Amino acid sequence: MSHKLTSNLILNHIHKTLICKRLLINQRLSRQFSSGNEDNSDGKLDFGSKLDKNSNKPDLKSTSKSEEKLDYIPNRIKRRLEQKGLSLEDVEISRGPKQIEDLLESQVAPENVKQVPIDFLSDLDAQRRFNRNQEKHSFRPPNVSPEDTSILMFPGQGSQFVGMGKKLLRYPGVEDIYNRASEILGYDLLNLCLNGPAEKLQETIYCQPAVVVTSLAAMEKLKEEHPNSLNHVVAVAGFSVGEITALAVTETVTFEEAIQIIKHRAAAMQKASEAAAGGLLTVICDHKTQLRVAMVAAKEYCRTELQMEDPECSIANFLCTDVKVVGGDEAALQFLEKYGAEWGIKRTKRLAVSGAFHTNMMRVTGKEGWKFREMLQTVNFKEPKYPLHLNLDGKRLQTKREGQEPTLHWLMNTLAKQIKTPVKWEQMLHILYTRPPEDPFPNTYEVGPGTQLGVLLKKTNLKAHNSYKNIEV
């Protein structure tokens, strides 16, 4: 049997399986409605319309509870829902006038955000636009020009290279930073960064401390060459392990605490990587790509063809509009590499990492996981010196609530959760750089090895990239 024929048979089998799941779920919903039970007790959703790879639009003709409840739904309503990527089951449909108070009950407002006054029904659109506005999640000082402000970004794992740190040694305090870190880690970190070998530097247990400490050392160069860069810092963020660097720079944790965190974090992630064969795959998409459907198909292939019990295939990093990183089992990633074009994936590229970071495969267990969590409990988190944005949602860390004392203890759980949840870097870039066309942009400094974060900024906002600078190491 030819390779092409075999591939088609596998894809057809997976497609039929997904369609069967869709039919079973629709039948279950129909039985529940007919029996008078409108609640979906098992929590299942009808995702069949999204799994049909031959259609880019939700199937609004399928049977739903809303359609049975109402005799007639105008086509213009269906078209508007279709344009928003919704189905009739996603909305509440009613006839007749509704009071403003009733409509306001469905408007969930963000915490600590000034509300838009609503006097008329038309004001609800303004409220919705305000709720969707990303700017409110960032710090914009009112009396300082954006051109006089700074954003600091710190790279993550994958930016390392043999020789990093060489351009920093002539700055005061840099060698001391490496020596203090080496005492805590138990090996000569500076020698590893300068001389390698590359194979050892790529191992998670060595790579993560090397990237964090080199980025902290690069801060000394930033202070020397750009002394005004720290006068008005409006945001600090780090990609993945770079978030530990950001915690140290904002003085949320001490230098010693940051090195202890990264030491135990790297050991736990190394152990999790050895326990299950996984990896990361960069995926290039466009507006027609059905990436989530492709990931479901990859997991279904692993279940049905390879008899895997709980395969993993999910988005690990949101990089920019057309670029995502998918993490998961080796077999699932191979499926996407071979058959991804069936769902509109343009190109894929493997990342040189040892595990499926920021997915459920990073469930840290055993002695290393216990030590990591125990270490986090000893950290005395402090109020950030500069506005700090987290990978969890890209938003600025809010530590003060009205009528409450500042609390940072929950950061312990956030750091423990971060290694198995996606990095929402794309969302954070929109929060930081969304502004009116006439407004200038702040100076952005990528502090640490590599220029990957600058590339992502350029893809997301070219005008903002014009104020970007890389602090070479």
Side-chain angles (χ1 to χ4, degrees):
M1 185 180 294
S2 67
H3 172 73
K4 184 175 181 180
L5 183 57
T6 305
S7 301
N8 289 335
L9 288 175
I10 293 174
L11 291 173
N12 288 336
H13 172 74
I14 293 172
H15 182 61
K16 289 179 181 177
T17 304
L18 298 177
I19 294 300
C20 289
K21 283 189 174 183
R22 172 187 173 183
L23 294 175
L24 288 173
I25 292 172
N26 281 336
Q27 289 174 3
R28 188 182 295 117
L29 290 175
S30 298
R31 286 197 300 270
Q32 289 174 352
F33 182 78
S34 61
S35 62
N37 179 19
E38 297 186 3
D39 293 326
N40 195 358
S41 58
D42 61 1
K44 300 289 186 181
L45 298 175
D46 181 7
F47 56 87
S49 61
K50 296 182 180 179
L51 296 178
D52 187 357
K53 71 183 184 65
N54 294 321
S55 173
N56 293 325
K57 300 177 181 179
D59 183 9
L60 296 177
K61 296 181 180 179
S62 59
T63 303
S64 67
K65 293 181 288 185
S66 300
E67 282 184 316
E68 291 188 35
K69 206 182 297 183
L70 299 175
D71 297 329
Y72 172 70
I73 304 292
N75 287 332
R76 59 183 177 82
I77 299 297
K78 294 182 179 180
R79 285 195 298 270
R80 290 183 67 181
L81 289 174
E82 186 177 338
Q83 290 171 359
K84 296 178 179 294
L86 300 173
S87 67
L88 293 174
E89 295 176 358
D90 297 324
V91 297
E92 178 187 354
I93 301 174
S94 61
R95 288 194 169 99
K98 228 180 181 186
Q99 299 298 320
I100 293 180
E101 290 78 8
D102 298 330
L103 293 173
L104 286 176
E105 290 180 1
S106 63
Q107 303 298 308
V108 180
E111 297 181 7
N112 300 326
V113 173
K114 184 180 178 181
Q115 296 300 297
V116 175
I118 297 178
D119 299 316
F120 304 98
L121 288 175
S122 58
D123 293 333
L124 286 173
D125 288 335
Q127 175 71 55
R128 294 189 185 101
R129 285 195 299 271
F130 181 78
N131 289 344
R132 289 196 297 265
N133 181 20
Q134 297 296 303
E135 296 179 43
K136 65 178 179 290
H137 298 301
S138 62
F139 175 62
R140 310 280 174 92
N143 300 322
V144 181
S145 171
E147 296 172 308
D148 297 328
T149 63
S150 303
I151 294 176
L152 307 181
M153 294 183 175
F154 300 98
Q157 187 171 351
S159 61
Q160 73 279 356
F161 60 90
V162 175
M164 64 181 185
K166 185 177 181 179
K167 296 182 179 180
L168 304 175
L169 293 177
R170 64 187 181 92
Y171 296 94
V174 167
E175 199 163 347
D176 181 58
I177 289 175
Y178 279 102
N179 291 336
R180 289 164 60 195
S182 297
E183 290 180 9
I184 298 173
L185 295 170
Y187 57 87
D188 191 344
L189 180 62
L190 179 58
N191 180 65
L192 178 62
C193 291
L194 294 177
N195 304 313
E199 295 77 15
K200 186 175 182 179
L201 190 58
Q202 287 182 356
E203 294 181 30
T204 299
I205 197 169
Y206 298 111
C207 171
Q208 292 191 6
V211 171
V212 169
V213 175
T214 300
S215 298
L216 290 174
M219 281 295 296
E220 302 303 316
K221 180 178 179 179
L222 176 68
K223 294 173 185 177
E224 287 284 328
E225 296 189 350
H226 304 278
N228 296 326
S229 61
L230 301 182
N231 290 345
H232 299 288
V233 178
V234 294
V236 178
F239 188 95
S240 186
V241 70
E243 191 163 84
I244 310 302
T245 315
L247 289 172
V249 170
T250 58
E251 299 179 9
T252 308
V253 300
T254 65
F255 176 84
E256 288 73 19
E257 287 173 333
I259 303 304
Q260 288 287 358
I261 290 173
I262 199 58
K263 176 182 178 180
H264 291 89
R265 181 186 190 270
M269 294 179 71
Q270 178 78 30
K271 189 67 176 180
S273 301
E274 294 171 355
L280 297 177
L281 182 71
T282 302
V283 177
I284 311 299
C285 312
D286 63 14
H287 67 285
K288 295 182 179 179
T289 303
Q290 296 176 299
L291 179 57
R292 295 192 182 276
V293 181
M295 293 188 297
V296 171
K299 290 194 286 188
E300 193 64 30
Y301 165 77
C302 292
R303 288 193 191 97
T304 58
E305 299 296 323
L306 305 181
Q307 306 302 314
M308 296 173 62
E309 289 186 5
D310 189 20
E312 177 66 25
C313 187
S314 60
I315 296 179
N317 302 330
F318 292 85
L319 299 183
C320 58
T321 305
D322 296 331
V323 186
K324 307 292 184 286
V325 174
V326 175
D329 289 286
E330 183 66 25
L333 299 184
Q334 290 177 357
F335 179 89
L336 291 181
E337 288 177 314
K338 185 177 288 187
Y339 305 116
E342 295 286 334
W343 289 278
I345 294 176
K346 300 302 179 184
R347 194 166 71 254
T348 60
K349 181 183 178 180
R350 283 296 183 109
L351 295 181
V353 294
S354 58
F357 304 141
H358 300 288
T359 70
N360 284 327
M361 293 182 72
M362 286 292 107
R363 289 187 291 264
V364 180
T365 58
K367 182 175 66 174
E368 289 77 10
W370 177 78
K371 285 185 176 180
F372 178 45
R373 287 187 289 270
E374 186 181 53
M375 192 275 145
L376 288 175
Q377 292 176 355
T378 66
V379 177
N380 181 25
F381 295 102
K382 301 178 182 67
E383 189 77 19
K385 182 179 180 180
Y386 307 118
L388 176 65
H389 288 253
L390 300 179
N391 289 182
L392 194 64
D393 54 10
K395 299 176 182 178
R396 178 163 57 105
L397 175 64
Q398 297 283 0
T399 58
K400 293 183 179 179
R401 299 291 177 87
E402 187 175 348
Q404 298 180 3
E405 292 294 325
T407 173
L408 289 160
H409 184 69
W410 63 270
L411 261 177
M412 177 187 69
N413 295 326
T414 301
L415 291 176
K417 188 190 300 184
Q418 188 236 36
I419 63 177
K420 61 180 182 179
T421 54
V423 175
K424 296 188 176 179
W425 195 258
E426 175 187 354
Q427 292 85 334
M428 191 202 67
L429 291 179
H430 288 299
I431 288 173
L432 293 178
Y433 295 104
T434 298
R435 58 194 68 221
E438 65 277 5
D439 285 5
F441 287 89
N443 298 298
T444 301
Y445 299 94
E446 182 173 358
V447 188
T451 59
Q452 293 91 333
L453 302 183
V455 172
L456 297 179
L457 176 59
K458 188 175 183 178
K459 288 179 176 291
T460 304
N461 193 317
L462 182 59
K463 188 177 178 181
H465 184 266
N466 293 333
S467 304
Y468 162 87
K469 298 178 184 66
N470 171 241
I471 306 302
E472 295 183 354
V473 300

